């Protein structure tokens, strides 16, 4: 398995490489600048001497060798020679003589560059005088030595500079990435029992603020999920323990001694009732588990809501009549949805509405459709729900009055199932309760899918 590369090495390496290239470019640029400065200095000095020599030549018809040499005193790198046609008439020294023999007949005055036999650059200035040419030679050996020393120092210093920059970049990158170590430490320490831990925003640089916020939000969601799962497990155990304890208690009591057949029949009937309750609970939990999967496939079809709700009214008619409740439907509309799921959501709402409605009251189902979507409201008249309960109604096993709901056969999952069904349809469910009226509203924002 390939060992992953350190992020500090990556950042430090890239920064070091960039800086090394920058230092190399600076060194090359400095070399060119130094060479240009030396060339300019040599030309300036040569032009100055040429003006002095021109003054000497203008003062006499014949070139005075002594006066010409006197102008170059103190400048051992300057030499002169007097040329006529292709011959050298006079020269200041042997160097000037040899260089003069290597050049062709001058044709114009000015400053020129040539190389000697050994390839060393020499700057020469040409002055015309009485049909002759005075040539001044400026040796560049000292400039070349200075340039070589500069290049040697650059060659020696550059590797150390690159290493220093690379190591410094690594240290800086490691220091700058120190907050990531906090991430790593926190991530390594996260367990189901320590989800309350959070990254301190004060110690996180601005570039990592969004990452830190997202990470803390993830921990918050995980903590909430674990808490809900723990609560769900406790509620589930409580829900299953009650009917199982009832069945087990009845059986143990009746097996303690011989009973009449009627007693055994009563125990079996009670066991059947409790087992049916458990069966409904398990079916509801399985439905919730499937409904909460994002990839759950919906069997979408065009549904006429009015006939569907009228059919549900017929189904709940006997239960409503037992409490002298009147079922009223208003409005109509079409909806693209999963019919079985929509029917289950509406059945749960109607069942709850009838169970908690006052005797001789009304339950109203109102369908409203507009350009923005469709809503189905189910309202009943009965005891209103306190505001502190409204936010928890769609949680699993949540009951306002646990004892009453359990006796009526409720499992505390009906509203949670409705919420999951609406999420699958990319809609939502809301509840409003006040002035002796409670209304649940199913909202579908995209009725055409």
């Amino acid at each position: 398995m390939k060992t992953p590369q350190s992020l500090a090495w990556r950042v430090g390496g890239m920064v070091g490489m960039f800086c090394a290239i920058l230092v190399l470019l600076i060194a090359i640029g400095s070399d060119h600048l130094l060479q240009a400065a030396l060339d300019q200095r040599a030309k300036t000095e040569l032009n100055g001497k040429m003006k002095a020599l021109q003054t000497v030549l203008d003062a006499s018809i014949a070139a005075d060798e002594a006066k010409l040499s006197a102008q170059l005193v103190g400048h051992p790198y300057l030499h002169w020679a007097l040329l006529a046609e292709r011959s050298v008439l006079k020269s200041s020294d042997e160097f000037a003589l040899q260089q003069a023999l290597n050049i062709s007949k001058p044709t114009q005055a000015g400053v020129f560059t040539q190389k000697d036999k050994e390839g060393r650059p020499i700057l020469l200035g040409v002055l015309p005088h009485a049909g002759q040419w005075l040539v001044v030679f400026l040796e560049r050996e000292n400039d070349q030595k200075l340039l070589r020393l500069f290049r040697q120092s650059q060659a020696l210093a550059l590797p150390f500079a690159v290493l220093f920059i690379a190591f410094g970049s690594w240290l800086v990158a490691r220091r700058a990435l120190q907050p990531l170590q906090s991430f790593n430490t926190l991530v390594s320490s996260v367990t189901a029992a320590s989800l309350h831990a959070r990254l301190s925003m004060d110690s996180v640089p601005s570039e990592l603020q969004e990452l830190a916020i997202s990470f803390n939000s993830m921990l918050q969601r995980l903590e909430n999920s674990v808490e809900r799962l723990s609560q769900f497990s406790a509620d589930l155990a409580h829900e299953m323990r009650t009917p199982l304890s009832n069945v087990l208690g009845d059986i143990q009591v009746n097996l303690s001694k011989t009973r009449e057949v009627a007693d055994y029949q009563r125990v079996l009937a009670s066991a059947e009732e409790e087992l049916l309750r458990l069966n409904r609970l398990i079916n509801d939990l399985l439905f919730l588990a499937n409904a909460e999967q994002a990839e759950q496939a919906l069997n979408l079809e065009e549904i006429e809501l009015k006939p569907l709700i009228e059919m549900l009214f017929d189904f709940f008619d006997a239960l409503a009549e037992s409490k002298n409740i009147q079922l009223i439907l208003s409005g109509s509309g079409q909806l693209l949805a999963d019919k079985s799921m929509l029917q289950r959501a509406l059945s749960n709402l109607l069942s709850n509405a009838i169970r908690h409605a006052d005797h001789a009251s009304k339950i109203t189902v109102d369908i409203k459709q507009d350009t923005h979507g469709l809503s189905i409201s189910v309202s009943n008249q009965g005891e209103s729900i306190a505001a502190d309960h409204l936010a928890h109604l769609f949680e699993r096993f949540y009951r306002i009055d646990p004892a009453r709901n359990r006796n009526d056969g409720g499992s505390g999952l009906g509203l949670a199932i409705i919420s999951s069904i609406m999420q699958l349809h990319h809609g939502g469910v809301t509840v409003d309760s006040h002035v002796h009226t409670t209304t649940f509203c199913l909202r579908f924002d995209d009725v055409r899918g």
Side-chain angles (χ1 to χ4, degrees), residues 404-440:
R404 183 186 67 179
N405 281 332
R406 185 177 293 113
N407 293 333
D408 290 343
S411 63
L413 295 175
L415 294 179
I417 289 175
I418 294 172
S419 179
S420 296
I421 290 174
M422 294 307 297
Q423 289 177 11
L424 281 176
H425 286 82
H426 305 289
V429 54
T430 59
V431 58
D432 181 40
S433 183
H434 62 280
V435 194
H436 206 63
T437 300
T438 299
T439 301
F440 286 86

Side-chain angles (χ1 to χ4, degrees), residues 82-89 100 103-106 131-133:
L82 190 64
L83 282 66
E85 295 298 333
R86 293 182 177 277
S87 61
V88 180
L89 301 179
I103 64 176
S104 58
K105 177 184 177 181
Q132 300 172 352
W133 297 91

Side-chain angles (χ1 to χ4, degrees), residues 261-301:
V261 173
D263 293 329
Y264 291 124
Q265 289 177 338
R266 181 189 60 78
V267 170
L268 290 176
S270 176
E272 180 186 25
E273 181 181 352
E274 298 295 344
L275 291 175
L276 286 174
R277 182 178 299 168
L278 279 175
N279 186 59
R280 287 195 300 271
L281 175 63
I282 293 172
N283 288 335
D284 287 344
L285 288 173
L286 288 175
F287 181 86
L288 273 175
N290 291 326
E292 290 183 351
Q293 296 178 12
E295 65 275 10
Q296 171 72 31
L298 297 177
N299 184 21
L300 298 178
E301 58 181 298

Side-chain angles (χ1 to χ4, degrees), residues 36-52:
L38 292 174
D39 290 343
Q40 185 62 37
R41 187 186 69 172
K43 289 181 180 179
T44 301
E45 185 175 5
L46 184 58
N47 283 325
K49 288 302 177 183
M50 287 176 63
K51 290 179 181 179

Side-chain angles (χ1 to χ4, degrees), residues 89-150:
L89 301 179
K90 299 177 182 180
S91 63
S92 61
D93 50 37
E94 184 65 24
F95 179 84
L97 177 61
Q98 293 298 324
Q99 297 302 322
L101 292 174
N102 291 334
I103 64 176
S104 58
K105 177 184 177 181
T107 57
Q108 60 180 357
V111 177
F112 306 96
T113 301
Q114 74 171 25
K115 293 185 178 181
D116 60 15
K117 291 181 179 180
E118 297 178 0
R120 293 173 299 185
I122 297 174
L123 201 62
L124 55 91
V126 179
L127 288 174
H129 176 68
Q132 300 172 352
W133 297 91
L134 178 65
V135 182
V136 182
F137 301 95
L138 189 150
E139 292 184 79
R140 301 290 306 281
E141 183 63 27
N142 290 335
D143 290 347
Q144 293 302 307
K145 286 181 179 179
L146 177 61
L147 197 58
R148 283 196 299 272
L149 287 174
F150 176 76

